Amino acid sequence: MLRARRRGLVYPYELSATLAGEGGSLTELDLDADGRLVEVNREPGRNRAGIIVARVVTPTALHPEGITRIVLSGDPTKGLGAVAEPECSRIIAALDLAEQLGVPLEWFTLSSGAKISMDSGTENMDWVGAALKRVVEFTQAGGEINIVVAGINVGAQPYWNAEATMLMHTSGILVMTPDSAMVLTGKQSLDFSGGVSAEDNFGIGGYDRVMGPNGQAQYWAPNLGAAMEILLTHYDHTFVVPGEEGPRRATTTDPSDRDVSDFPHHCDGSEFTTVGQIFSASHNPDRKKPFDIRTVIAAVTDQDHAHSERWAGMAEAETAVVVDGRIGGHSVAVLGIESKPVPRAGFPPTDGPDTFTAGTLFPQSSKKAARAINAASGNRPLVVLANLSGFDGSPESMRNLQLEYGAEIGRAIVNFRGPIVFVVISRYHGGAFVVFSKSLNPNMTVLAVEGSFASVIGGAPAAAVVFARDVEKRTAADPRISGLDSRLRSAEAQSKAELRVALDTLRKAVRAEKISEIAAEFDGVHNIHRAVEVGSVDKVIAPAEIRPAIIATIEAFRG
């Protein structure tokens, strides 16, 4: 324990009481002669490998009998958690046991990478590969691995972390603390080999500069204690007791039929003071005024249960908001689309937007959305609060894999197991309509708040681009234009220049009027009720019905 403290690290056995919690239990496991994990009764610190394995049961309010999981922890006193056959064989056995019990694997990762010594070499890398293969198999079969990066992670360990939590099919979370980093090669080795490094390992793979902004770490915690609280909150929303259908429903005092309209709304740049005004025909007739999606999520979710936001630090993904919460006591994953402009940090490329526009998915937002949908699949219902005008199609977004990440959303919806409640709260257009179409998944219910819009394209761009000829015809036929044009043709030479300028100015103003006129006609035809008639939307609901309709849809699916 003293050796760990001298290095500024935590000795794993110190975590035992906190992991188990009040009334819980922690049972250390180790390999027997046949290579199976069995209970061991020994003093702390008698482990022979740099990985410690335990079965932990922690009681909670929702699970008084305890949340069971298999826990791995790197030992900093043994080669700073260097890994070879002893460590990898225990990791593989722990994954086997977690799969057998149908419980998550929890991993407090600290490792200096594959063991480097005069006595062993490439065989250590082969063992690392064997463990990597088992991680892939476990997660692809639906297993959940939750990672807390508890110190320096070098080489092999970051790849294990990535295979466990960062890929599109994974459902586990990755939490980082300020004194943790994930690097493929440490600073000293990079400097010695002539590579590019940073001022320290945190600059190469810490949360603040790298892993948080790139979205590979889902949560930040100020210390290990807070990281454990995040884990327990995650289990509160996602843990499924073997034999049960899904996460347990919690008791709530928040009425199922509560009207969200009176919920207060405060947002810079928005004139709305309540959520109901967002859906008001008098306050927001075109559904184009900005509002804060987190406030809408807070209004819809249960008021007596906390919710947690994933990927809160992911840079350039601000237009997608992912929250784990409860609605009517049911655990749900909520995906909201930010509906106010989001200023960009730094200097944006010249071929990209200066501001992330409301209701628009940009590449990293698309990636975040797809990962969120996949993470909830087979575990809990997905609720989408949608103001979706489409995907950004700028050269910058296309260069940054917009098509690929948008397609991942479509695949995630197709493969989603469980109910999807898609609520159109403002607009629903374009490519975003396609990847969230109810034709992709029979378990998807599309509800639309009265006054919202659903079409291939919005009325204004349709008028300006698709119906441009009609706009020109109506502009030319307008009496103001035809009258001034007649005066121009009969005018004397000295006054023609003046009239041409006046005509050009008038034509621009009248053209704008005609675009608005045709846009209104288009939106009038392609209103939300037409979408119901053709089967694109299941039902139009009043703002007061948002919360009860979501709860009813979830309960109808579960019977």
Side-chain angles (χ1 to χ4, degrees), residues 23-24 26 35 39 60 113 125 142 159 162 179 202 206 215 243 255 273 278 298 319-320 441 460 515 534 537 551 558:
L26 183 146
E39 295 183 11
T60 68
M125 303 301 290
Y159 270 118
D179 55 357
F202 305 112
T273 57
I278 297 169
T319 55
N441 193 310
I515 288 176
V534 300
V537 172
I551 295 170
R558 292 187 165 174

mmCIF file of all heavy atoms in Angstrom, residues 23-24 26 35 39 60 113 125 142 159 162 179 202 206 215 243 255 273 278 298 319-320 441 460 515 534 537 551 558:
data_model
loop_
_atom_site.group_PDB
_atom_site.id
_atom_site.type_symbol
_atom_site.label_atom_id
_atom_site.label_comp_id
_atom_site.label_asym_id
_atom_site.label_seq_id
_atom_site.Cartn_x
_atom_site.Cartn_y
_atom_site.Cartn_z
ATOM 1 N N GLY A 23 -23.587 -3.264 3.612
ATOM 2 C CA GLY A 23 -24.368 -4.498 3.524
ATOM 3 C C GLY A 23 -23.987 -5.374 2.349
ATOM 4 O O GLY A 23 -24.588 -6.430 2.142
ATOM 5 N N GLY A 24 -22.980 -4.964 1.569
ATOM 6 C CA GLY A 24 -22.565 -5.737 0.402
ATOM 7 C C GLY A 24 -21.433 -6.693 0.719
ATOM 8 O O GLY A 24 -21.007 -6.835 1.867
ATOM 9 N N LEU A 26 -17.638 -8.585 -1.003
ATOM 10 C CA LEU A 26 -16.604 -8.710 -2.041
ATOM 11 C C LEU A 26 -15.862 -10.011 -1.787
ATOM 12 O O LEU A 26 -15.332 -10.223 -0.691
ATOM 13 C CB LEU A 26 -15.648 -7.523 -2.013
ATOM 14 C CG LEU A 26 -14.563 -7.493 -3.098
ATOM 15 C CD1 LEU A 26 -14.247 -6.060 -3.517
ATOM 16 C CD2 LEU A 26 -13.273 -8.184 -2.633
ATOM 17 N N GLY A 35 -7.563 -23.839 -14.172
ATOM 18 C CA GLY A 35 -7.726 -22.581 -14.905
ATOM 19 C C GLY A 35 -9.082 -21.947 -14.742
ATOM 20 O O GLY A 35 -9.471 -21.096 -15.550
ATOM 21 N N GLU A 39 -13.229 -19.116 -5.371
ATOM 22 C CA GLU A 39 -13.065 -18.238 -4.219
ATOM 23 C C GLU A 39 -11.743 -18.553 -3.511
ATOM 24 O O GLU A 39 -11.348 -19.713 -3.399
ATOM 25 C CB GLU A 39 -14.225 -18.410 -3.245
ATOM 26 C CG GLU A 39 -15.566 -17.982 -3.821
ATOM 27 C CD GLU A 39 -16.705 -18.098 -2.814
ATOM 28 O OE1 GLU A 39 -16.395 -18.309 -1.608
ATOM 29 O OE2 GLU A 39 -17.871 -17.979 -3.222
ATOM 30 N N THR A 60 -28.662 -1.858 -3.418
ATOM 31 C CA THR A 60 -29.155 -0.514 -3.730
ATOM 32 C C THR A 60 -30.643 -0.463 -3.419
ATOM 33 O O THR A 60 -31.270 -1.500 -3.155
ATOM 34 C CB THR A 60 -28.930 -0.153 -5.211
ATOM 35 O OG1 THR A 60 -29.774 -0.982 -6.036
ATOM 36 C CG2 THR A 60 -27.476 -0.339 -5.630
ATOM 37 N N GLY A 113 1.248 -1.740 -19.794
ATOM 38 C CA GLY A 113 1.263 -2.436 -21.072
ATOM 39 C C GLY A 113 1.834 -3.832 -20.963
ATOM 40 O O GLY A 113 2.010 -4.378 -19.863
ATOM 41 N N MET A 125 2.715 -10.592 -26.052
ATOM 42 C CA MET A 125 1.813 -9.946 -27.004
ATOM 43 C C MET A 125 0.734 -10.910 -27.481
ATOM 44 O O MET A 125 -0.417 -10.516 -27.709
ATOM 45 C CB MET A 125 2.600 -9.397 -28.190
ATOM 46 C CG MET A 125 3.697 -8.403 -27.818
ATOM 47 S SD MET A 125 3.052 -6.961 -26.950
ATOM 48 C CE MET A 125 2.177 -6.151 -28.279
ATOM 49 N N GLY A 142 -23.219 -9.344 -26.555
ATOM 50 C CA GLY A 142 -24.115 -8.546 -25.721
ATOM 51 C C GLY A 142 -23.598 -8.296 -24.328
ATOM 52 O O GLY A 142 -24.291 -7.673 -23.512
ATOM 53 N N TYR A 159 -6.167 -0.443 -25.752
ATOM 54 C CA TYR A 159 -6.893 -1.175 -26.794
ATOM 55 C C TYR A 159 -7.975 -2.065 -26.196
ATOM 56 O O TYR A 159 -9.057 -2.218 -26.768
ATOM 57 C CB TYR A 159 -5.919 -1.996 -27.655
ATOM 58 C CG TYR A 159 -5.413 -1.196 -28.834
ATOM 59 C CD1 TYR A 159 -4.070 -0.914 -28.984
ATOM 60 C CD2 TYR A 159 -6.308 -0.699 -29.779
ATOM 61 C CE1 TYR A 159 -3.618 -0.159 -30.053
ATOM 62 C CE2 TYR A 159 -5.873 0.052 -30.850
ATOM 63 C CZ TYR A 159 -4.531 0.325 -30.984
ATOM 64 O OH TYR A 159 -4.098 1.076 -32.045
ATOM 65 N N ALA A 162 -10.739 0.261 -25.505
ATOM 66 C CA ALA A 162 -11.435 0.655 -26.731
ATOM 67 C C ALA A 162 -12.380 -0.438 -27.204
ATOM 68 O O ALA A 162 -13.534 -0.183 -27.557
ATOM 69 C CB ALA A 162 -10.412 0.995 -27.820
ATOM 70 N N ASP A 179 -6.294 12.131 -12.800
ATOM 71 C CA ASP A 179 -4.949 11.559 -12.752
ATOM 72 C C ASP A 179 -4.816 10.312 -13.615
ATOM 73 O O ASP A 179 -3.976 9.456 -13.377
ATOM 74 C CB ASP A 179 -4.561 11.236 -11.303
ATOM 75 C CG ASP A 179 -5.578 10.334 -10.613
ATOM 76 O OD1 ASP A 179 -6.607 10.013 -11.245
ATOM 77 O OD2 ASP A 179 -5.348 9.959 -9.438
ATOM 78 N N PHE A 202 -0.711 13.064 -19.767
ATOM 79 C CA PHE A 202 -2.088 13.570 -19.774
ATOM 80 C C PHE A 202 -2.357 14.367 -21.052
ATOM 81 O O PHE A 202 -3.474 14.397 -21.562
ATOM 82 C CB PHE A 202 -2.342 14.434 -18.538
ATOM 83 C CG PHE A 202 -2.044 13.720 -17.248
ATOM 84 C CD1 PHE A 202 -0.986 14.114 -16.444
ATOM 85 C CD2 PHE A 202 -2.801 12.631 -16.850
ATOM 86 C CE1 PHE A 202 -0.696 13.435 -15.268
ATOM 87 C CE2 PHE A 202 -2.524 11.951 -15.672
ATOM 88 C CZ PHE A 202 -1.466 12.362 -14.877
ATOM 89 N N GLY A 206 -5.062 12.210 -21.770
ATOM 90 C CA GLY A 206 -5.921 12.543 -20.646
ATOM 91 C C GLY A 206 -7.318 12.926 -21.098
ATOM 92 O O GLY A 206 -7.585 13.080 -22.296
ATOM 93 N N GLY A 215 -14.754 12.044 -27.466
ATOM 94 C CA GLY A 215 -15.919 11.213 -27.192
ATOM 95 C C GLY A 215 -15.609 9.780 -26.818
ATOM 96 O O GLY A 215 -16.523 8.978 -26.630
ATOM 97 N N GLY A 243 -32.716 -13.306 -15.630
ATOM 98 C CA GLY A 243 -34.071 -13.853 -15.582
ATOM 99 C C GLY A 243 -35.154 -12.812 -15.724
ATOM 100 O O GLY A 243 -36.306 -13.153 -16.018
ATOM 101 N N PRO A 255 -46.736 12.291 -11.567
ATOM 102 C CA PRO A 255 -47.913 11.749 -12.258
ATOM 103 C C PRO A 255 -47.627 11.435 -13.728
ATOM 104 O O PRO A 255 -46.971 12.210 -14.433
ATOM 105 C CB PRO A 255 -48.947 12.871 -12.134
ATOM 106 C CG PRO A 255 -48.491 13.701 -10.980
ATOM 107 C CD PRO A 255 -47.002 13.631 -10.990
ATOM 108 N N THR A 273 -40.632 31.296 -22.014
ATOM 109 C CA THR A 273 -40.482 31.203 -20.561
ATOM 110 C C THR A 273 -41.021 29.882 -20.021
ATOM 111 O O THR A 273 -40.725 29.515 -18.885
ATOM 112 C CB THR A 273 -41.211 32.360 -19.869
ATOM 113 O OG1 THR A 273 -42.597 32.343 -20.250
ATOM 114 C CG2 THR A 273 -40.591 33.699 -20.267
ATOM 115 N N ILE A 278 -43.077 26.626 -26.593
ATOM 116 C CA ILE A 278 -42.362 26.059 -27.746
ATOM 117 C C ILE A 278 -43.355 25.467 -28.740
ATOM 118 O O ILE A 278 -43.153 25.537 -29.956
ATOM 119 C CB ILE A 278 -41.378 24.970 -27.270
ATOM 120 C CG1 ILE A 278 -40.313 25.575 -26.361
ATOM 121 C CG2 ILE A 278 -40.732 24.256 -28.454
ATOM 122 C CD1 ILE A 278 -39.456 24.542 -25.637
ATOM 123 N N ALA A 298 -35.696 17.523 -19.398
ATOM 124 C CA ALA A 298 -35.966 17.607 -17.965
ATOM 125 C C ALA A 298 -37.460 17.671 -17.683
ATOM 126 O O ALA A 298 -37.944 17.113 -16.690
ATOM 127 C CB ALA A 298 -35.263 18.832 -17.374
ATOM 128 N N THR A 319 -24.968 19.141 -30.870
ATOM 129 C CA THR A 319 -26.365 19.134 -31.331
ATOM 130 C C THR A 319 -27.081 17.814 -31.048
ATOM 131 O O THR A 319 -28.262 17.679 -31.362
ATOM 132 C CB THR A 319 -26.462 19.468 -32.835
ATOM 133 O OG1 THR A 319 -25.651 18.570 -33.577
ATOM 134 C CG2 THR A 319 -26.029 20.900 -33.092
ATOM 135 N N ALA A 320 -26.398 16.847 -30.453
ATOM 136 C CA ALA A 320 -27.056 15.629 -29.968
ATOM 137 C C ALA A 320 -26.855 15.561 -28.460
ATOM 138 O O ALA A 320 -25.735 15.702 -27.977
ATOM 139 C CB ALA A 320 -26.488 14.387 -30.640
ATOM 140 N N ASN A 441 -37.981 -0.027 -38.397
ATOM 141 C CA ASN A 441 -38.104 -0.917 -37.249
ATOM 142 C C ASN A 441 -39.575 -1.018 -36.845
ATOM 143 O O ASN A 441 -40.213 0.003 -36.568
ATOM 144 C CB ASN A 441 -37.272 -0.371 -36.076
ATOM 145 C CG ASN A 441 -37.100 -1.379 -34.951
ATOM 146 O OD1 ASN A 441 -38.053 -1.974 -34.488
ATOM 147 N ND2 ASN A 441 -35.867 -1.551 -34.509
ATOM 148 N N ALA A 460 -39.447 26.462 -46.982
ATOM 149 C CA ALA A 460 -38.625 27.549 -47.524
ATOM 150 C C ALA A 460 -37.615 27.055 -48.548
ATOM 151 O O ALA A 460 -37.549 27.583 -49.673
ATOM 152 C CB ALA A 460 -37.939 28.300 -46.396
ATOM 153 N N ILE A 515 -41.534 33.455 -52.267
ATOM 154 C CA ILE A 515 -40.929 32.268 -51.655
ATOM 155 C C ILE A 515 -41.664 31.924 -50.360
ATOM 156 O O ILE A 515 -42.014 30.763 -50.115
ATOM 157 C CB ILE A 515 -39.422 32.501 -51.389
ATOM 158 C CG1 ILE A 515 -38.643 32.487 -52.711
ATOM 159 C CG2 ILE A 515 -38.863 31.441 -50.435
ATOM 160 C CD1 ILE A 515 -37.170 32.809 -52.561
ATOM 161 N N VAL A 534 -50.520 9.043 -44.566
ATOM 162 C CA VAL A 534 -49.700 8.159 -45.405
ATOM 163 C C VAL A 534 -48.909 7.154 -44.577
ATOM 164 O O VAL A 534 -48.158 6.341 -45.127
ATOM 165 C CB VAL A 534 -48.747 8.968 -46.313
ATOM 166 C CG1 VAL A 534 -49.525 9.875 -47.238
ATOM 167 C CG2 VAL A 534 -47.736 9.771 -45.498
ATOM 168 N N VAL A 537 -46.315 8.880 -39.723
ATOM 169 C CA VAL A 537 -46.477 9.231 -38.314
ATOM 170 C C VAL A 537 -47.682 8.467 -37.790
ATOM 171 O O VAL A 537 -48.696 8.325 -38.485
ATOM 172 C CB VAL A 537 -46.672 10.758 -38.140
ATOM 173 C CG1 VAL A 537 -47.043 11.106 -36.712
ATOM 174 C CG2 VAL A 537 -45.418 11.511 -38.574
ATOM 175 N N ILE A 551 -45.290 7.252 -22.018
ATOM 176 C CA ILE A 551 -45.447 6.189 -21.027
ATOM 177 C C ILE A 551 -46.398 5.105 -21.538
ATOM 178 O O ILE A 551 -46.114 3.901 -21.408
ATOM 179 C CB ILE A 551 -45.954 6.784 -19.697
ATOM 180 C CG1 ILE A 551 -44.896 7.724 -19.105
ATOM 181 C CG2 ILE A 551 -46.302 5.675 -18.702
ATOM 182 C CD1 ILE A 551 -45.379 8.540 -17.923
ATOM 183 N N ARG A 558 -44.577 -3.438 -23.537
ATOM 184 C CA ARG A 558 -44.203 -4.429 -22.529
ATOM 185 C C ARG A 558 -45.395 -5.259 -22.057
ATOM 186 O O ARG A 558 -45.239 -6.212 -21.293
ATOM 187 C CB ARG A 558 -43.551 -3.730 -21.332
ATOM 188 C CG ARG A 558 -42.184 -3.147 -21.713
ATOM 189 C CD ARG A 558 -41.439 -2.602 -20.531
ATOM 190 N NE ARG A 558 -40.046 -2.401 -20.854
ATOM 191 C CZ ARG A 558 -39.161 -1.830 -20.050
ATOM 192 N NH1 ARG A 558 -39.542 -1.422 -18.863
ATOM 193 N NH2 ARG A 558 -37.905 -1.690 -20.422
#
